[in-house]
Amino acid sequence: MSPSGDRSTLHAPPLWRQLQLAARLLRGVQSGHSLTAQLQDVDGAMRPGVQALVFRALRWWGLARALRSQLAPRSPAALPDALLCTALGLLSSQDPPAYAPFTLVDQAVEAAKRDPAMRSSAAFLNACLRRFLREREPLLRQALHGDLAARWNHPPWWVERLQSDHPTAWAAILASAQQPAPMDLRVNTARSTVDALRQRLSAAGMQSTACTGAAVRLARPRPVQEIPGFAAGEVSVQSAAAQLAAPLLLRGL
């Protein structure tokens, strides 16, 4: 059961299987493949959980890579390395924990054991991850010391560019980028209104707030098929910030 006690997770796909798929997707990203395209090939029942793990791990990927360099100076094979960094990203994440640390370690090792391509690395992964749990604070301090990618989880060239272009706001910009993206909706104003959509969302048990223009933000992301009016084209998914782009351009900005 999840930390929140949600009984629906009793029927969720096993975490070890989700970690296997997450590691393969992240390995693909490192090889230059689109994450969006790869996610389309994941079974529908597995996709939400795998996507959540991948997004969370990616937000802390710079730190995870720095930690892996301490725990294993010689890089393991590509796929076990991706699984190790996935687990380290999840364990070092400052997001609210989705799983207890020992559960993550146990299931990451199980993921390696059950995959022929990673089975021989299971003991290695177990040793690295359990060492991280024992020595978490000193390992984190060392990883963060003088390493821009580990500190900000963005490429150093991008951190330096922001520092140059936004000398007073660069840290706030990077900190904001580390937050999980909200789920914003765009109301098709030719067919509905913001108030009408919010009433329908409320009736369906979904809390929301009105943003600028035709944007509505859900308090908690939901599958699009559950959103009233989505199938009928009355609403679509689009960032509230992105919805400002066209009006600003039309105003000459």
Side-chain angles (χ1 to χ4, degrees):
M1 188 176 294
S2 72
S4 63
D6 183 357
R7 291 184 180 276
S8 66
T9 59
L10 290 172
H11 305 290
L15 179 55
W16 64 263
R17 180 59 180 146
Q18 295 181 61
L19 286 167
Q20 281 182 340
L21 291 171
R24 290 185 178 278
L25 293 182
L26 287 165
R27 171 58 186 154
V29 170
Q30 289 185 293
S31 300
H33 298 290
S34 163
L35 177 58
T36 301
Q38 291 184 92
L39 279 167
Q40 296 307 308
D41 294 331
V42 177
D43 178 77
M46 300 288 294
R47 193 178 301 143
V50 172
Q51 177 175 292
L53 291 175
V54 169
F55 284 0
R56 181 183 290 246
L58 277 174
R59 282 198 295 275
W60 304 97
W61 197 251
L63 179 54
R65 298 288 293 175
L67 289 167
R68 196 273 291 148
S69 295
Q70 291 185 68
L71 294 166
R74 278 188 73 183
S75 300
L79 192 54
D81 187 37
L83 177 58
L84 176 56
C85 288
T86 299
L88 288 170
L90 297 171
L91 288 168
S92 59
S93 164
Q94 295 176 26
D95 299 333
Y99 300 96
F102 282 102
T103 299
L104 268 172
V105 172
D106 174 78
Q107 291 296 285
V109 174
E110 189 69 16
K113 289 179 178 178
R114 289 176 178 256
D115 190 319
M118 297 190 283
R119 190 171 296 144
S120 62
S121 300
F124 163 77
L125 263 70
N126 185 54
C128 289
L129 293 174
R130 292 191 182 277
R131 182 188 166 197
F132 175 74
L133 295 186
R134 292 193 308 270
E135 304 175 26
R136 177 188 177 92
E137 294 310 316
L139 286 169
L140 284 172
R141 282 196 300 271
Q142 186 175 342
L144 292 169
H145 181 68
D147 188 328
L148 284 178
R151 172 67 181 85
W152 297 106
N153 292 287
H154 286 76
W157 68 266
W158 178 245
V159 177
E160 292 166 358
R161 174 67 181 268
L162 287 177
Q163 289 173 331
S164 174
D165 291 354
H166 304 280
T168 62
W170 66 271
I173 293 171
L174 290 169
S176 177
Q178 282 300 95
Q179 302 305 310
M183 187 170 186
D184 295 337
L185 306 176
R186 183 188 186 102
V187 178
N188 181 348
T189 54
R191 304 188 59 180
S192 186
T193 66
V194 167
D195 288 342
L197 174 64
R198 293 194 64 212
Q199 290 176 10
R200 294 179 68 184
L201 290 170
S202 179
M206 303 181 196
Q207 295 182 340
S208 66
T209 55
C211 301
T212 303
V216 173
R217 176 164 294 173
L218 294 180
R220 185 170 67 87
R222 302 292 288 267
V224 292
Q225 62 268 24
E226 296 180 10
I227 297 173
F230 182 84
E234 297 172 11
V235 62
S236 56
V237 178
Q238 186 182 29
S239 162
Q243 294 183 42
L244 294 174
L248 287 173
L249 288 171
L250 289 172
R251 293 172 195 162
L253 298 179

